[in-house]
Structure formats: structure tokens, C-alpha cells
Amino acid sequence: MNVAVVEKHEYNPYYQPYFDKMSGVELIEGLKEDHRDTLSFLDKLPENKLEYRYEEGKWTIKELLVHLLDAERIFAYRALRFARKDTTPLAGFEQDDYVRPSKANSRSLSSLRNEFNALRLANIELFKNMDDEMLREIGMASGSDMSSRAAAFMIIGHSRHHRQIIEERYL
């Protein structure tokens, strides 16, 4: 049940590109593998590219990394709320509104890396302790149904998606 065979009714079609990156991925091992891959990726980022924008109005790599942190927290929070059978509809979040006040470009890569490491380790523990019933729970986020399982897997797909963008457009 913990393999990324998340059904279409468990998430908004907007998130399909994230699920397309996870065929056959098991949740906990996928989170751990993505954790290792992301730390390794961060360790190889050139310092002179961290505040580079490939186009005016686009985020820098540091801003993109803060976005990854914010989104992971939000997806994990949604999964927790749904797993606990909280039926309160959850608002969406406007990613640009979160990045602007983050002051990401004043942070060190080491700080961003450390925060990612701590956050991911905490989320691995969170999801290790959710059984299949909890993971199948459905709630409402951003006006759409979402399961705890879908929110959990979106953490992996979202991370992979943005690492790919950095590789293709920034490096």
C-alpha cells in the first residue's frame, strides 16, 4: 500500500507531474532516497550560482530551496491533519507570497542544508508511524480532495521536480 500507486481521486491533477516522477517508489524508502539525493545535490551546488536567476522574475536557487522547505512542511502538515481525521478544509498557499519575505538570499547554503536535513528526518519519522488507514484518509486542501498518502508522496515528487529544474535551468 505504501508504493506510489496513488489514485487520481486522491489529489488535484495539478500535482500529476510530481507523481509521474515516482513510478514504483515506496514511501519511506523514497523519502530516505530523496533525502540522500537532495543532500548530495546540495553539496555539489556551486556557490557562485546560489543567487543566480536564469530569467528576470524567477527565483534564485536559494529561494527555490526555501520553497522546497516551505512546501515540504505544508504537505506534511496536510498529511498529518488528514491522517488524524481532521475534516477542516485547508487553504492553499501562494508560493510567491511565501518566498518574497523569506530572505532566502541572506541565508547560507549550510543553513538551508541543515534545515532540510532536520525537516526530512522529522517527516520520515512522521510517515513511518502512519499505517495504511491513516495514509488513505482524505481531506480538503486548496479546494481539492487530497489523501495523506498523496501529500506524503508529493514531498518526494516535488523535490525531484525542483532538483531537475535547477539542473536544467540554473547550472
Side-chain angles (χ1 to χ4, degrees):
M1 178 51 125
N2 287 334
V3 175
V5 183
V6 180
E7 297 177 30
K8 302 263 186 204
H9 75 273
E10 294 182 62
Y11 59 92
N12 185 304
Y14 172 82
Y15 297 112
Q16 187 61 49
Y18 304 153
F19 289 96
D20 290 343
K21 297 180 184 310
M22 292 185 288
S23 178
V25 172
E26 188 274 329
L27 180 57
I28 300 305
E29 285 309 310
L31 286 165
K32 289 178 179 179
E33 179 184 347
D34 185 72
H35 180 224
R36 289 186 299 271
D37 291 349
T38 301
L39 290 175
S40 176
F41 182 78
L42 294 175
D43 290 341
K44 295 174 186 167
L45 286 174
E47 188 70 33
N48 67 330
K49 290 285 193 168
L50 296 176
E51 295 179 29
Y52 166 75
R53 297 174 198 279
Y54 68 89
E55 189 176 291
E56 186 165 334
K58 296 297 183 183
W59 295 338
T60 65
I61 290 176
K62 285 183 177 180
E63 289 169 332
L64 207 149
L65 295 175
V66 166
H67 165 69
L68 279 178
L69 293 167
D70 291 347
E72 180 157 342
R73 277 192 174 91
I74 289 165
F75 291 146
Y77 176 71
R78 289 174 176 178
L80 175 66
R81 296 272 303 260
F82 304 153
R84 300 299 192 257
K85 300 182 185 285
D86 186 335
T87 59
T88 308
L90 302 177
F93 75 103
E94 176 49 55
Q95 59 189 17
D96 290 318
D97 291 345
Y98 274 59
V99 169
R100 279 187 212 105
S102 73
K103 300 185 181 179
N105 291 322
S106 67
R107 294 185 59 184
S108 69
L109 180 58
S110 174
S111 168
L112 294 165
R113 186 189 190 284
N114 291 342
E115 185 176 347
F116 170 78
N117 186 52
L119 177 62
R120 180 56 62 87
L121 290 173
N123 285 332
I124 289 169
E125 289 303 311
L126 171 69
F127 293 116
K128 276 189 348 190
N129 291 292
M130 287 187 187
D131 63 18
D132 287 343
E133 179 184 351
M134 291 176 183
L135 289 167
R136 281 192 302 265
E137 288 295 328
I138 300 225
M140 175 79 60
S142 303
S144 296
D145 285 345
M146 178 183 289
S147 69
S148 295
R149 176 171 61 172
F153 278 109
M154 285 191 312
I155 290 171
I156 301 167
H158 186 251
S159 175
R160 289 178 177 183
H161 169 76
H162 282 296
R163 282 198 320 269
Q164 182 179 354
I165 286 176
I166 290 171
E167 287 173 345
E168 292 173 356
R169 300 178 189 174
Y170 290 83
L171 303 179

